[in-house]
Amino acid sequence: MSWRKEQRRAERGYHHGNLKEALLQAALGLIAEKGAAGFTFADAARMAGVSAAAPYRHFRDRDELLSSIAQRGFEQFESRLTAAWDDGRPDTVTAFERVGRAYLAFAREEPAFYNAMFESGLPVDANPALQAASERAFNVIRAAAERLAALAPPGTPRPPAMMMALHIWSMAHGVASLFSRGDAARRKLPMSPDELLEAEVLIYLRGLGFPTDRRPAKSAEPPPVPPEASSGSGVPPGGPWGKPK
Amino acid sequence: MSWRKEQRRAERGYHHGNLKEALLQAALGLIAEKGAAGFTFADAARMAGVSAAAPYRHFRDRDELLSSIAQRGFEQFESRLTAAWDDGRPDTVTAFERVGRAYLAFAREEPAFYNAMFESGLPVDANPALQAASERAFNVIRAAAERLAALAPPGTPRPPAMMMALHIWSMAHGVASLFSRGDAARRKLPMSPDELLEAEVLIYLRGLGFPTDRRPAKSAEPPPVPPEASSGSGVPPGGPWGKPK
DNA sequence: TGTACATCAGTGAACGCGCGTTCACTGATGTAC
DNA sequence: TGTACATCAGTGAACGCGCGTTCACTGATGTAC
């Protein structure tokens, strides 16, 4: 046994006290560093300062640990999206874009969770608890889309919220997975991922017929007010992409 | 040595003849089956019916094999996108959507290539040849976006083609990676990935001010003609999402 | 056309390594009396 | 309050396994003369 390991045990005694949690944290660190594929059960045990056999007291196998991480990831994801949505305050469009930014922030700040949830190859549909957690997270986006859809200007068709939610999800995931990932495979971009996604969502919403210029925070929401000069929303006058030609 | 292995060697003689190619094919099969992470050098050798040491005559290590696959993947990707674009015939919007469908088709039909290119964690930027191949593929989308941008109706701002291309790329990648992947992690969807992406792109283009109803194949392109009833494009009257409310 | 020889593309044995997993075990903790 | 005992959460040794990699080797091929 190495000196360091003895040392660690001397500090904490024979029982770890909180090994399950420590293993989850260790695995998160390893996944962030090397990807879900490159993380091993033995490595996690080592990082937690415990023998290779100890994790079996808490997880059936490596896969169960990975599922636990994905599960927890979906829960945190849901809670962050919910907070960002803030029940549509101060207005639906503003809140909606805050959700988009929260999505990217999560992918960037929690690469290990994001990896386990979306890129580990873990078949989410095969685990009912995991699938439920995944759906709860998605439902935040879906509920927001629902509210947005209800805003469709009179006379224009009302888009199905499910489709809108799937569109937004695929945009956010696409940007996150290509340009906002935490590892070496992140691709360079001539702008920030947030800007890219924000413009993308704005153009998309405009395509649905929504007025996308920001209105003062306090204004009543329905009916939509006519476009006015935007302010501090990342959308310069003339549209989300800059100057008119 | 196993009977089967002797047999195989009896059939082909001491020299394989085309081992490099056989290894690439074997690796493609393995990646499609188990993901880029779960593929091993030894496994590829076994599948090619050759000793574990043989691959070293053709690839420095496992990583070089993976890079070769990604490289070839980008080349095939580029060629399929180019064919789909068909230099913008019969009209820019139609051709542009064909590119979107080609993107998804590639992700679905060549999951191993797609995985190596976009999900293996391979740092594309670190390998100049690979980066160049990746850029050539992206440039097909970019050139198409360029042509599309030039179509902006008079008086409306002309969006930067680079941004449009990045938007389209992120949409296609998002849909492909979530809903059109070749492995068990594919998520279920209440419609086809192609339909989802096509609607998404159409709404986006409309948000940019482009008329997105299809016009007859032979019409001259600029200036844009007014919207008319769509036909056989997957976009029902009333917009990409169906009936008006 | 035949032959000697260089080169190439394989073999198979061997190595060290780390992983996953099992097992009998043991130290620590909590609790019934 | 003390003690006996059950239970829990660790240990460490051991196992089989497959991988990556190296090495001296050898069979096949191509070519110079």
Short mmCIF file of all heavy atoms in Angstrom, two decimals, chain A residues 1 14-15 51 53 57-58, chain D residues 8-14:
data_model
loop_
_atom_site.label_atom_id
_atom_site.label_comp_id
_atom_site.label_asym_id
_atom_site.label_seq_id
_atom_site.Cartn_x
_atom_site.Cartn_y
_atom_site.Cartn_z
N MET A 1 0.86 -1.22 0.00
CA MET A 1 0.00 0.00 0.00
C MET A 1 0.88 1.25 0.00
O MET A 1 1.89 1.30 0.69
CB MET A 1 -0.87 0.00 1.25
CG MET A 1 -2.12 0.82 1.09
SD MET A 1 -2.85 1.16 2.65
CE MET A 1 -3.19 -0.47 3.30
N TYR A 14 -11.15 3.75 9.02
CA TYR A 14 -11.43 2.58 8.19
C TYR A 14 -12.62 2.82 7.28
O TYR A 14 -12.60 2.51 6.10
CB TYR A 14 -11.69 1.37 9.09
CG TYR A 14 -11.75 0.06 8.37
CD1 TYR A 14 -10.62 -0.73 8.23
CD2 TYR A 14 -12.94 -0.41 7.84
CE1 TYR A 14 -10.66 -1.94 7.58
CE2 TYR A 14 -13.00 -1.62 7.18
CZ TYR A 14 -11.86 -2.39 7.04
OH TYR A 14 -11.91 -3.59 6.40
N HIS A 15 -13.65 3.40 7.80
CA HIS A 15 -14.84 3.68 6.98
C HIS A 15 -14.72 5.04 6.32
O HIS A 15 -14.27 5.99 6.93
CB HIS A 15 -16.10 3.63 7.86
CG HIS A 15 -16.47 2.24 8.24
ND1 HIS A 15 -17.19 1.41 7.43
CD2 HIS A 15 -16.19 1.52 9.34
CE1 HIS A 15 -17.35 0.23 8.01
NE2 HIS A 15 -16.75 0.27 9.19
N SER A 51 -10.07 0.95 -1.93
CA SER A 51 -9.65 -0.21 -2.71
C SER A 51 -10.60 -0.45 -3.89
O SER A 51 -11.73 0.03 -3.89
CB SER A 51 -9.63 -1.46 -1.84
OG SER A 51 -10.94 -1.95 -1.67
N ALA A 53 -12.24 -2.89 -4.72
CA ALA A 53 -13.43 -3.69 -4.44
C ALA A 53 -14.53 -2.88 -3.76
O ALA A 53 -15.70 -3.27 -3.78
CB ALA A 53 -13.05 -4.88 -3.57
N ARG A 57 -19.87 -2.14 -3.08
CA ARG A 57 -20.85 -1.99 -2.00
C ARG A 57 -21.93 -0.98 -2.36
O ARG A 57 -22.98 -0.92 -1.73
CB ARG A 57 -20.15 -1.50 -0.72
CG ARG A 57 -19.11 -2.44 -0.18
CD ARG A 57 -19.72 -3.52 0.70
NE ARG A 57 -18.74 -4.56 0.97
CZ ARG A 57 -19.05 -5.84 1.11
NH1 ARG A 57 -20.31 -6.24 1.00
NH2 ARG A 57 -18.12 -6.72 1.36
N HIS A 58 -21.66 -0.16 -3.39
CA HIS A 58 -22.58 0.95 -3.68
C HIS A 58 -23.18 0.93 -5.08
O HIS A 58 -24.25 1.48 -5.30
CB HIS A 58 -21.86 2.28 -3.45
CG HIS A 58 -21.38 2.46 -2.05
ND1 HIS A 58 -22.21 2.87 -1.03
CD2 HIS A 58 -20.17 2.24 -1.49
CE1 HIS A 58 -21.51 2.92 0.10
NE2 HIS A 58 -20.28 2.54 -0.14
P DC D 8 -26.98 -4.63 7.45
OP1 DC D 8 -28.30 -4.03 7.17
OP2 DC D 8 -26.56 -5.89 6.79
"O5'" DC D 8 -25.87 -3.52 7.17
"C5'" DC D 8 -25.72 -2.46 8.12
"C4'" DC D 8 -24.35 -1.86 7.95
"O4'" DC D 8 -23.37 -2.72 8.57
"C3'" DC D 8 -23.93 -1.72 6.49
"O3'" DC D 8 -23.63 -0.35 6.26
"C2'" DC D 8 -22.69 -2.62 6.36
"C1'" DC D 8 -22.20 -2.71 7.79
N1 DC D 8 -21.44 -3.94 8.17
C2 DC D 8 -20.21 -3.80 8.81
O2 DC D 8 -19.77 -2.67 9.03
N3 DC D 8 -19.53 -4.92 9.17
C4 DC D 8 -20.05 -6.13 8.91
N4 DC D 8 -19.34 -7.20 9.30
C5 DC D 8 -21.30 -6.28 8.26
C6 DC D 8 -21.97 -5.17 7.90
P DA D 9 -23.33 0.14 4.80
OP1 DA D 9 -23.89 1.50 4.73
OP2 DA D 9 -23.70 -0.90 3.81
"O5'" DA D 9 -21.75 0.24 4.81
"C5'" DA D 9 -21.12 1.09 5.76
"C4'" DA D 9 -19.63 0.99 5.54
"O4'" DA D 9 -19.19 -0.31 5.94
"C3'" DA D 9 -19.22 1.13 4.07
"O3'" DA D 9 -17.97 1.80 4.04
"C2'" DA D 9 -19.07 -0.30 3.62
"C1'" DA D 9 -18.50 -0.93 4.88
N9 DA D 9 -18.73 -2.37 4.99
C8 DA D 9 -19.79 -3.11 4.53
N7 DA D 9 -19.70 -4.39 4.80
C5 DA D 9 -18.50 -4.50 5.50
C6 DA D 9 -17.85 -5.60 6.07
N6 DA D 9 -18.31 -6.85 6.03
N1 DA D 9 -16.66 -5.36 6.71
C2 DA D 9 -16.21 -4.11 6.75
N3 DA D 9 -16.75 -2.98 6.25
C4 DA D 9 -17.91 -3.27 5.63
P DG D 10 -17.47 2.52 2.74
OP1 DG D 10 -17.83 3.90 2.88
OP2 DG D 10 -17.89 1.74 1.53
"O5'" DG D 10 -15.90 2.41 2.93
"C5'" DG D 10 -15.11 1.49 2.24
"C4'" DG D 10 -14.26 0.72 3.21
"O4'" DG D 10 -15.08 -0.29 3.81
"C3'" DG D 10 -13.13 -0.06 2.54
"O3'" DG D 10 -11.96 0.73 2.45
"C2'" DG D 10 -12.93 -1.23 3.49
"C1'" DG D 10 -14.30 -1.42 4.11
N9 DG D 10 -15.02 -2.60 3.61
C8 DG D 10 -16.19 -2.62 2.88
N7 DG D 10 -16.61 -3.83 2.63
C5 DG D 10 -15.67 -4.66 3.23
C6 DG D 10 -15.61 -6.09 3.31
O6 DG D 10 -16.39 -6.91 2.85
N1 DG D 10 -14.47 -6.51 4.01
C2 DG D 10 -13.55 -5.67 4.58
N2 DG D 10 -12.52 -6.26 5.21
N3 DG D 10 -13.60 -4.34 4.52
C4 DG D 10 -14.68 -3.91 3.84
P DT D 11 -10.83 0.26 1.49
OP1 DT D 11 -9.81 1.30 1.59
OP2 DT D 11 -11.39 -0.14 0.20
"O5'" DT D 11 -10.29 -1.07 2.18
"C5'" DT D 11 -9.57 -1.01 3.41
"C4'" DT D 11 -8.94 -2.35 3.69
"O4'" DT D 11 -9.97 -3.36 3.61
"C3'" DT D 11 -7.86 -2.75 2.69
"O3'" DT D 11 -6.71 -3.14 3.40
"C2'" DT D 11 -8.46 -3.89 1.89
"C1'" DT D 11 -9.53 -4.44 2.82
N1 DT D 11 -10.73 -5.00 2.14
C2 DT D 11 -10.95 -6.35 2.16
O2 DT D 11 -10.19 -7.15 2.69
N3 DT D 11 -12.09 -6.77 1.53
C4 DT D 11 -13.03 -5.96 0.88
O4 DT D 11 -14.03 -6.45 0.35
C5 DT D 11 -12.74 -4.55 0.89
C7 DT D 11 -13.66 -3.60 0.23
C6 DT D 11 -11.62 -4.12 1.51
P DG D 12 -5.31 -2.77 2.78
OP1 DG D 12 -4.43 -2.56 3.95
OP2 DG D 12 -5.45 -1.74 1.75
"O5'" DG D 12 -4.89 -4.13 2.06
"C5'" DG D 12 -4.81 -5.30 2.84
"C4'" DG D 12 -4.84 -6.51 1.94
"O4'" DG D 12 -6.18 -6.76 1.50
"C3'" DG D 12 -4.02 -6.36 0.66
"O3'" DG D 12 -3.52 -7.64 0.32
"C2'" DG D 12 -5.08 -5.97 -0.36
"C1'" DG D 12 -6.17 -6.92 0.10
N9 DG D 12 -7.49 -6.65 -0.44
C8 DG D 12 -7.99 -5.45 -0.88
N7 DG D 12 -9.21 -5.53 -1.32
C5 DG D 12 -9.55 -6.86 -1.16
C6 DG D 12 -10.74 -7.56 -1.47
O6 DG D 12 -11.78 -7.10 -1.94
N1 DG D 12 -10.66 -8.91 -1.14
C2 DG D 12 -9.55 -9.52 -0.61
N2 DG D 12 -9.64 -10.82 -0.37
N3 DG D 12 -8.42 -8.88 -0.31
C4 DG D 12 -8.49 -7.56 -0.62
P DA D 13 -1.99 -7.87 0.05
OP1 DA D 13 -1.30 -7.68 1.35
OP2 DA D 13 -1.54 -7.13 -1.15
"O5'" DA D 13 -2.02 -9.43 -0.30
"C5'" DA D 13 -2.91 -10.29 0.43
"C4'" DA D 13 -3.62 -11.22 -0.53
"O4'" DA D 13 -4.88 -10.65 -0.96
"C3'" DA D 13 -2.83 -11.55 -1.80
"O3'" DA D 13 -2.87 -12.95 -1.98
"C2'" DA D 13 -3.59 -10.80 -2.88
"C1'" DA D 13 -5.01 -10.88 -2.35
N9 DA D 13 -5.94 -9.89 -2.89
C8 DA D 13 -5.73 -8.54 -3.04
N7 DA D 13 -6.75 -7.90 -3.54
C5 DA D 13 -7.70 -8.88 -3.75
C6 DA D 13 -9.01 -8.83 -4.27
N6 DA D 13 -9.60 -7.72 -4.69
N1 DA D 13 -9.70 -9.99 -4.33
C2 DA D 13 -9.10 -11.11 -3.91
N3 DA D 13 -7.88 -11.29 -3.39
C4 DA D 13 -7.23 -10.11 -3.35
P DA D 14 -1.86 -13.69 -2.95
OP1 DA D 14 -1.13 -14.68 -2.16
OP2 DA D 14 -1.15 -12.69 -3.78
"O5'" DA D 14 -2.89 -14.44 -3.90
"C5'" DA D 14 -4.19 -14.80 -3.43
"C4'" DA D 14 -5.13 -14.86 -4.59
"O4'" DA D 14 -5.76 -13.57 -4.77
"C3'" DA D 14 -4.45 -15.17 -5.93
"O3'" DA D 14 -4.80 -16.48 -6.35
"C2'" DA D 14 -4.98 -14.11 -6.88
"C1'" DA D 14 -6.11 -13.45 -6.12
N9 DA D 14 -6.27 -12.02 -6.41
C8 DA D 14 -5.33 -11.03 -6.28
N7 DA D 14 -5.77 -9.84 -6.60
C5 DA D 14 -7.10 -10.07 -6.97
C6 DA D 14 -8.12 -9.21 -7.41
N6 DA D 14 -7.96 -7.89 -7.57
N1 DA D 14 -9.32 -9.75 -7.69
C2 DA D 14 -9.47 -11.08 -7.53
N3 DA D 14 -8.60 -11.98 -7.12
C4 DA D 14 -7.42 -11.41 -6.84
#
